[in-house]
Amino acid sequence: MTGWELALLYIAWLIGGGSSGPATLALASTGMARGRKAALALAMGILVGSGAWAIAAAAGFSAAMVANAWLADSLRIIGVLYILWLAFKSIRSALRPGAPTMAAAMPAKPAKAFLGGLMLHVTNPKAILSWGAVYAVAVPPGAGVAELAGMGLFLFSGSIIVFVGYALMFSTEAAMRRYMRARRWFEAAFGVLFGGAAIAILSARV
C-alpha cells in the first residue's frame, strides 16, 4: 500500500474504533462515575481483547468463523447477554433515589474493570472480522509474519489512541462533576444505549 492509502486506512480505523458502541459507552460511563484508574484499566482490557483478536485474525481464525457461522453466533449471544447485564445495572442505578452515588456499569476496582473490558471485547465477533478484513485488504496474499505483525502494530497504535483517549477524556474532573449533578439521567441514558447496542449486535449479520 502507498503512504496515502495507509493514512486513509489509519483514519478509517480511528473513526471505526471511536464510533459509538459497547466499548465507548462503557468507557464513558466508567470514566465519569469511577474515575481515571478504573477507566484506564477498562481501556487496557479492551486493548488486550483487541490484540488477541488481531493475532487470531492473522492466524486465520476469522476465516474459520466465516466458514462456521455457529462460532460467530455463539460469541455474539454471549456478548449480547453481557451487554444486557450492563444495561440492567445502569437502569437499576438510575432508578435508585437519593443523592448521587458512584454507580457505573463497570466495577471501581481496576482488576475487575480490566476483566470487564476484556469480556466486552472478546465476545464481540465483529472485532476479529474487522481485523480479518483489514488483513485481507491491506496485506498481500502470502505475506509473512513480519508483514502481518507490522500491519497489526500499525493499527493497534490507533486503538490505543482511541480507547486510552476516551478513558482520559471521560475521567476529567469536569466530566465527573457533570455526571454527579445528573447521575440518574446519565445512568438511564447509558442503560438505554447499552440495550440498543445489544439489540443491534443481536440483529446484525456477522
Side-chain angles (χ1 to χ4, degrees), residues 13-102:
W13 187 260
L14 290 175
I15 293 172
S19 60
S20 181
T24 54
L25 289 173
L27 283 168
S29 62
T30 302
M32 287 191 291
R34 299 299 197 187
R36 183 152 294 174
K37 283 186 178 180
L40 286 173
L42 173 63
M44 291 303 106
I46 293 169
L47 287 169
V48 169
S50 180
W53 279 138
I55 294 170
F61 188 64
S62 59
M65 288 184 67
V66 171
N68 299 277
W70 66 270
L71 283 173
D73 288 339
S74 298
L75 279 174
R76 185 168 61 199
I77 290 170
I78 293 170
V80 164
L81 290 175
Y82 184 65
I83 294 168
L84 286 174
W85 168 245
L86 298 182
F88 167 75
K89 289 180 69 177
S90 292
I91 294 294
R92 183 180 62 182
S93 175
L95 294 175
R96 288 175 180 167
T101 58
M102 291 292 198

Side-chain angles (χ1 to χ4, degrees), residues 27-28 30-37 39-40 164-176:
L27 283 168
T30 302
M32 287 191 291
R34 299 299 197 187
R36 183 152 294 174
K37 283 186 178 180
L40 286 173
V164 173
Y166 273 167
L168 295 174
M169 180 175 68
F170 286 113
S171 60
T172 61
E173 289 187 13
M176 294 179 73

Side-chain angles (χ1 to χ4, degrees), residues 75-201:
L75 279 174
R76 185 168 61 199
I77 290 170
I78 293 170
V80 164
L81 290 175
Y82 184 65
I83 294 168
L84 286 174
W85 168 245
L86 298 182
F88 167 75
K89 289 180 69 177
S90 292
I91 294 294
R92 183 180 62 182
S93 175
L95 294 175
R96 288 175 180 167
T101 58
M102 291 292 198
M106 291 293 172
K109 291 184 178 180
K112 290 185 177 181
F114 173 87
L115 290 175
L118 181 62
M119 177 70 176
L120 198 62
H121 217 63
V122 298
T123 56
N124 183 3
K126 287 188 175 181
I128 188 173
L129 295 177
S130 296
W131 279 107
V134 167
Y135 285 142
V137 172
V139 180
V145 174
E147 289 178 280
L148 289 168
M151 181 58 66
L153 290 172
F154 173 65
L155 294 177
F156 190 73
S157 69
S159 298
I160 293 173
I161 291 171
V162 169
F163 295 125
V164 173
Y166 273 167
L168 295 174
M169 180 175 68
F170 286 113
S171 60
T172 61
E173 289 187 13
M176 294 179 73
R177 282 198 301 269
R178 285 193 292 270
Y179 170 83
M180 292 302 289
R181 284 198 297 266
R183 191 266 309 173
R184 296 180 71 184
W185 288 104
F186 273 116
E187 293 293 350
F190 283 128
V192 171
L193 291 171
F194 274 123
I199 293 171
I201 292 172

